[in-house]
Amino acid sequence: MAKLYFRYGAMNSGKSTSLLQAAFNYEERGQHVLLAKPEIDTKGADQIDSRLGVKRTVDFLIKPDDDLRALFAEHRERARQSMADALIPEPADALRADIACFLLDEAQFLTREQVDDLLRIVVLDGVPVLAYGIRSDFQTQAFPGSRRLLELAHSLEELKTICRCGRKALFNARLVGGRFVFDGDQVAIDELTADRVTYESMCAECYLRESGGRLG
């Protein structure tokens, strides 16, 4: 039975690396995957870029108003045709001419409706989905996509990283020009701002120390 997986963690917990490793594992066994990410993530343009330096171009980008199930079906059919044309027409090969898994990076940026479509892709279309993302923003508020994934996913897995103090990091603190900020838009990516925006993964104690006790 296909399942919807949500693998989440604070920033720099190896989500993109884990996704690319999962894609490699499928393909090493002769299976085919589709990779996608929300268009709003302009960092890396149309690529998934891990901190280890491994990069891969996605098969498609997802706009906020896209019907994700229809978009997936379009690319699935295109991939099926390409695979069928390349395979020797034998029954065993015909079974392999399909998508074995759908992998999404930066899943926190999906809309609630698009996450609902992920569940439909899993249950109605029979394709496993691995979604990777962060749980909450720099104000400790859940992203809409992450909140819905936590509600719907068959399987939840936390990918861990550590704070500057050595404790497990839970939150994502935002810095603008090297200074911590706790007000602003939920989404801020380097290319979209005049000042350089960076993030630091922090434990609750260090986050509260920098925020003066403020949460959200």
Side-chain angles (χ1 to χ4, degrees):
M1 173 185 167
K3 292 183 179 181
L4 172 57
Y5 299 84
F6 182 35
R7 296 174 176 171
Y8 65 92
M11 298 185 75
N12 300 324
S13 59
K15 296 180 295 299
S16 296
T17 300
S18 178
L19 184 155
L20 294 174
Q21 181 67 55
F24 176 83
N25 291 344
Y26 273 100
E27 292 172 336
E28 188 179 38
R29 290 159 178 77
Q31 297 178 304
H32 303 275
V33 298
L34 284 177
L35 277 66
K37 72 173 188 175
E39 186 182 57
I40 192 173
D41 177 41
T42 57
K43 180 168 53 68
D46 62 349
Q47 290 189 324
I48 295 174
D49 189 353
S50 80
R51 288 191 301 140
L52 297 184
V54 181
K55 298 181 181 181
R56 176 163 171 171
T57 301
V58 297
D59 295 288
F60 59 94
L61 296 171
I62 305 164
K63 297 181 175 64
D65 57 350
D66 277 340
D67 180 324
L68 184 48
R69 188 182 179 203
L71 187 62
F72 170 78
E74 174 188 337
H75 286 271
R76 181 188 190 186
E77 184 54 37
R78 189 179 302 168
R80 275 173 163 173
Q81 188 59 55
S82 177
M83 288 183 278
D85 291 345
L87 290 170
I88 300 171
E90 295 179 359
D93 284 333
L95 293 175
R96 293 174 54 204
D98 201 355
I99 296 300
C101 189
F102 182 30
L103 298 101
L104 293 107
D105 201 22
E106 306 293 352
Q108 71 272 8
F109 295 138
L110 297 175
T111 66
R112 177 185 176 92
E113 292 74 22
Q114 288 169 340
V115 174
D116 290 351
D117 272 343
L118 293 183
L119 186 65
R120 295 185 183 102
I121 289 168
V122 169
V123 176
L124 302 180
D125 302 327
V127 178
V129 174
L130 304 182
Y132 294 78
I134 59 177
R135 183 175 54 179
S136 56
D137 63 19
F138 75 111
Q139 295 178 314
T140 71
Q141 303 298 312
F143 285 94
S146 299
R147 180 183 297 114
R148 192 59 173 156
L149 279 162
L150 290 168
E151 293 168 346
L152 294 183
H154 294 91
S155 175
L156 300 172
E157 180 183 348
E158 183 180 14
L159 303 178
K160 299 177 178 64
T161 189
I162 60 172
C163 176
R164 58 169 76 159
C165 68
R167 299 185 182 91
K168 186 177 84 168
L170 297 174
F171 304 129
N172 307 294
R174 178 184 292 173
L175 298 93
V176 177
R179 299 182 61 182
F180 287 102
V181 297
F182 297 92
D183 292 296
D185 295 335
Q186 186 172 56
V187 179
I189 300 172
D190 285 0
E191 292 85 348
L192 304 181
T193 60
D195 294 316
R196 184 163 183 261
V197 176
T198 58
Y199 293 88
E200 182 178 342
S201 303
M202 307 185 86
C203 69
E205 183 175 339
C206 289
Y207 182 94
L208 288 170
R209 183 182 300 116
E210 293 293 345
S211 71
R214 177 177 174 182
L215 287 170

